[in-house]
Amino acid sequence: MGSEGKAREELLELVRSLTERIRVDGELGKPLSYLSRGKVGAATAGGAGQGAAIAPSVTDAPRLEAVRAELGDCQRCSLGRLRHRLVFGEGSPQADLVFVGEAPGADEDAQGRPFVGRAGQLLTRIIAAMGLKREEVYICNILKCRPPENRNPQPDEIAACEPFLIRQLQAIRPRVICTLGTFAAHALLKTESPISVLRGRFHTYQGIELMPTYHPAYLLRNPAAKKQVWEDVQMIMKVLCEGR
Ligand code: URA
Ligand code: URA
């Protein structure tokens, strides 16, 4: 717990110092360019951003809805017949940060929402520790339908589903993508390197910064790995707040 508590404290300190910078910049009338899409930071800026042009784009939501409409009652792979609910994804169409997981589990299949089971609750706490709310980010998966017994996604299933993920990412155009676990990293980065090697540094996906990190379900089994995930999310926070 010791090093994990320390990492968490460091993250909270980072959030505090960024909040302070946003407040001071707001008071000095500096353009809050790092808030320019009106997303990350707005929740913690505490109204300091008066004068900053925060004009959320209205063009992204219809594009996402078009992707959902094209999926329809999808039967492009054999998982379609087995599902209760298709899990498209949820969150802000203007998100700066998109989390991409593997596939729905039983809870997600029942509710039609991503990351709502035990692993999802841990993801929600990680998002909160970043100073963000679930509604401010976007959360989705490589596969939209649950594989039986939560088995690994098969190549043909990924091939059928991935075009829709790509179009979701193109509609949102986030500044950072955070992939959760082995499958999401391998699917988007087209590599087979172990997640332990891939995580901890940014990769590029279609010009977007991509940080692979461990899956929250893995953290439930290996709590010691939370320290690395805190490191990864701190690097994400820096990119989101520095307006690189
Ligand atoms: N695990 C995932 O990869 N995605 C979910 O939505 C839930 C659990
Ligand atoms: N192995 C996995 O499959 N996922 C992780 O996140 C970590 C190890």
Side-chain angles (χ1 to χ4, degrees):
M1 265 330 259
S3 60
E4 183 194 324
K6 186 160 169 285
R8 189 186 160 84
E9 191 44 51
E10 279 172 11
L11 181 57
L12 289 173
E13 179 52 36
L14 176 73
V15 170
R16 275 193 291 270
S17 66
L18 290 166
T19 304
E20 176 63 10
R21 175 178 153 190
I22 290 165
R23 191 189 64 74
V24 170
D25 283 0
E27 282 180 353
L28 296 177
K30 284 194 193 164
L32 301 178
S33 57
Y34 39 89
L35 300 180
S36 61
R37 286 180 80 195
K39 293 168 290 184
V40 168
T44 49
Q50 75 274 43
I54 293 179
S57 156
V58 290
T59 59
D60 307 326
R63 290 187 63 196
L64 262 186
E65 281 159 24
V67 182
R68 178 63 191 88
E70 184 163 346
L71 263 168
D73 178 27
C74 185
Q75 302 292 338
R76 290 170 181 82
C77 81
S78 62
L79 299 181
R81 265 190 307 271
L82 304 173
R83 70 165 178 254
H84 293 103
R85 304 278 299 269
L86 186 150
V87 181
F88 181 63
E90 68 182 21
S92 168
Q94 285 98 38
D96 273 330
L97 174 58
V98 174
F99 288 94
V100 179
E102 181 175 318
D107 295 302
E108 292 76 19
D109 178 62
Q111 295 185 40
R113 297 180 54 207
F115 282 98
V116 290
R118 268 187 81 219
Q121 288 160 24
L122 178 53
L123 177 62
T124 303
R125 292 200 296 277
I126 291 169
I127 292 167
M130 298 174 81
L132 297 169
K133 300 195 183 90
R134 262 180 83 111
E135 313 86 78
E136 291 176 302
V137 303
Y138 194 85
I139 305 173
C140 57
N141 287 298
I142 297 287
L143 295 189
K144 308 288 184 250
C145 298
R146 183 191 182 204
E149 312 299 325
N150 301 338
R151 66 152 169 74
N152 290 339
Q154 301 296 297
D156 63 310
E157 294 158 1
I158 294 175
C161 221
E162 195 181 358
F164 296 94
L165 172 65
I166 292 172
R167 288 177 53 194
Q168 279 173 297
L169 294 171
Q170 286 171 342
I172 300 167
R173 284 173 282 108
R175 282 171 49 195
V176 179
I177 297 167
C178 180
T179 58
L180 303 168
T182 298
F183 274 91
H186 285 186
L188 290 186
L189 295 175
K190 306 294 174 210
T191 173
E192 306 217 321
S193 301
I195 183 70
S196 57
V197 171
L198 294 170
R199 62 147 291 276
R201 66 192 164 89
F202 283 104
H203 303 252
T204 306
Y205 176 80
Q206 297 194 358
I208 302 170
E209 305 260 27
L210 186 152
M211 175 66 76
T213 196
Y214 292 128
H215 196 288
Y218 174 75
L219 297 183
L220 292 172
R221 302 190 300 272
N222 301 274
K226 284 182 186 169
K227 180 173 185 294
Q228 275 92 41
V229 172
W230 293 136
E231 288 167 10
D232 299 342
V233 301
Q234 285 183 59
M235 292 174 69
I236 293 171
M237 289 295 292
K238 277 204 185 125
V239 169
L240 292 180
C241 293
E242 278 169 5
R244 284 200 334 204

XYZ file of all heavy atoms in Angstrom, residues 101-105 108 114-115 141 215, ligand 1:
82
model
N -11.239 -0.550 -23.994
C -11.060 -1.845 -23.335
C -11.151 -2.985 -24.331
O -11.020 -2.791 -25.546
N -11.400 -4.175 -23.808
C -11.353 -5.387 -24.630
C -12.727 -5.730 -25.210
O -12.924 -5.656 -26.423
C -10.812 -6.515 -23.746
C -10.666 -7.841 -24.422
C -10.015 -8.858 -23.476
O -9.048 -8.498 -22.772
O -10.492 -10.008 -23.433
N -13.636 -6.103 -24.338
C -14.963 -6.544 -24.779
C -15.898 -6.509 -23.579
O -15.445 -6.577 -22.437
C -14.888 -7.971 -25.339
N -17.200 -6.428 -23.821
C -18.135 -6.447 -22.698
C -18.037 -7.761 -21.931
O -17.764 -8.817 -22.512
C -19.509 -6.341 -23.381
C -19.245 -5.850 -24.766
C -17.863 -6.303 -25.122
N -18.259 -7.688 -20.617
C -18.421 -8.880 -19.790
C -19.902 -9.078 -19.506
O -20.753 -8.472 -20.167
N -21.832 -5.838 -18.483
C -21.957 -4.908 -19.605
C -22.972 -5.441 -20.620
O -23.775 -4.684 -21.177
C -20.585 -4.700 -20.260
C -19.578 -3.959 -19.382
C -18.953 -4.794 -18.263
O -19.001 -6.047 -18.364
O -18.431 -4.206 -17.287
N -20.543 0.135 -21.189
C -19.186 -0.363 -20.983
C -18.709 -0.174 -19.540
O -19.095 0.783 -18.870
C -18.352 0.530 -21.914
C -19.098 1.828 -21.927
C -20.560 1.453 -21.852
N -17.886 -1.091 -19.102
C -17.182 -0.961 -17.820
C -18.107 -0.563 -16.667
O -17.937 0.486 -16.060
C -16.008 0.037 -17.945
C -14.798 -0.568 -18.614
C -14.552 -0.353 -19.970
C -13.913 -1.373 -17.890
C -13.446 -0.931 -20.588
C -12.812 -1.951 -18.506
C -12.576 -1.724 -19.851
N -14.922 -0.253 -26.260
C -14.167 -1.498 -26.327
C -13.801 -1.846 -27.759
O -14.402 -1.345 -28.703
C -15.016 -2.649 -25.752
C -15.140 -2.598 -24.251
O -14.146 -2.695 -23.526
N -16.365 -2.435 -23.765
N -5.060 -3.535 -17.781
C -6.518 -3.594 -17.690
C -6.928 -3.555 -16.218
O -6.284 -4.189 -15.389
C -6.996 -4.899 -18.338
C -8.455 -4.903 -18.636
N -9.410 -5.004 -17.648
C -9.129 -4.791 -19.815
C -10.601 -4.982 -18.208
N -10.462 -4.845 -19.524
N -13.769 -5.344 -19.536
C -13.621 -4.729 -20.717
O -12.614 -4.860 -21.396
N -14.612 -3.946 -21.132
C -15.739 -3.741 -20.444
O -16.584 -2.986 -20.897
C -15.855 -4.383 -19.200
C -14.865 -5.179 -18.768
